[in-house]
Amino acid sequence: MSANPADPSPRSAAPETVDATPVAPDTVDIVLVKAGRTKIRYPADLLHDDGTHVVVRAAWAGAGVRDFGFVRFEPGDVFTEHYWRDRWYAVKEVRNAEGALKGWYCDIARPAGVTPGEVVCEDLDLDLWRSADGGTVLRLDEDEFAASGLETSDPRAASAARAALDELELRAREGGFEALLT
């Protein structure tokens, strides 16, 4: 859940050189959907898209501070977000304004839908947090997942969601996400 403020300043012209032309990063809208409705939409810089794995960077999009008890998301935080077209999760590396790593917030979600200019991620309520030092790994919102009715309405998706949460927890406890995110 992050966003970049709009850049109201015009881009300067590229310097006249033979072999160097600055290129502005592409931007995309990140659309987080929950229970069939758009929960939040925000712009992000597109860093990478290899056809399966999409990486974007954006600033915290929430209004003010959101204190979860185990981490605070606040203005100035920067999220490097990883989405996959073939995996049932998204992993978000969170850093403070000075660049210090806070940790990773993982959304269990259907595989991302990616179109030109947009990444759509359907949140399935389950989440995982891993602190920067790896000392805290938390499974989150299992009560919301149970109350969502997904187990009954879409048992295949519910099973995939639970398997994704188990996979991420194992990765978090056995060394982290670095290999996954490269």
Side-chain angles (χ1 to χ4, degrees):
M1 298 194 288
S2 33
N4 279 339
D7 179 7
S9 62
R11 303 247 183 244
S12 60
E16 291 187 24
T17 62
V18 174
D19 58 351
T21 304
V23 178
D26 290 333
T27 59
V28 295
D29 279 348
I30 303 300
V31 182
L32 300 181
V33 176
K34 190 168 183 175
R37 293 195 312 244
T38 298
K39 183 176 174 183
I40 189 169
R41 172 187 289 267
Y42 53 91
D45 292 332
L46 177 63
L47 303 179
H48 171 82
D49 184 355
D50 65 10
T52 302
H53 180 203
V54 178
V55 183
V56 302
R57 182 168 294 134
W60 166 244
V65 174
R66 178 116 188 243
D67 191 339
F68 291 95
F70 53 88
V71 68
R72 286 170 48 103
F73 295 157
E74 52 202 333
D77 285 351
V78 177
F79 288 65
T80 302
E81 304 178 3
H82 298 259
Y83 299 91
W84 289 267
R85 291 171 174 90
D86 63 350
R87 296 184 187 179
W88 287 73
Y89 51 78
V91 177
K92 301 170 183 183
E93 178 189 270
V94 185
R95 294 183 177 271
N96 69 16
E98 291 76 39
L101 180 64
K102 289 184 171 188
W104 292 267
Y105 194 90
C106 307
D107 286 319
I108 304 304
R110 292 182 190 273
V114 182
T115 59
E118 191 173 77
V119 177
V120 178
C121 181
E122 184 181 344
D123 185 351
L124 298 177
D125 293 309
L126 293 171
D127 300 297
L128 183 101
W129 169 255
R130 180 183 189 265
S131 62
D133 66 2
T136 302
V137 176
L138 302 170
R139 293 170 71 110
L140 305 167
D141 303 328
E142 291 184 283
D143 54 336
E144 288 181 30
F145 180 75
S148 74
L150 192 64
E151 300 271 12
T152 303
S153 66
D154 191 344
R156 185 181 83 63
S159 176
R162 288 208 179 276
L165 182 62
D166 291 343
E167 175 190 339
L168 287 175
E169 182 180 19
L170 183 63
R171 285 181 182 271
R173 293 189 187 283
E174 293 186 350
F177 299 119
E178 288 79 5
L180 175 66
L181 305 181
T182 57

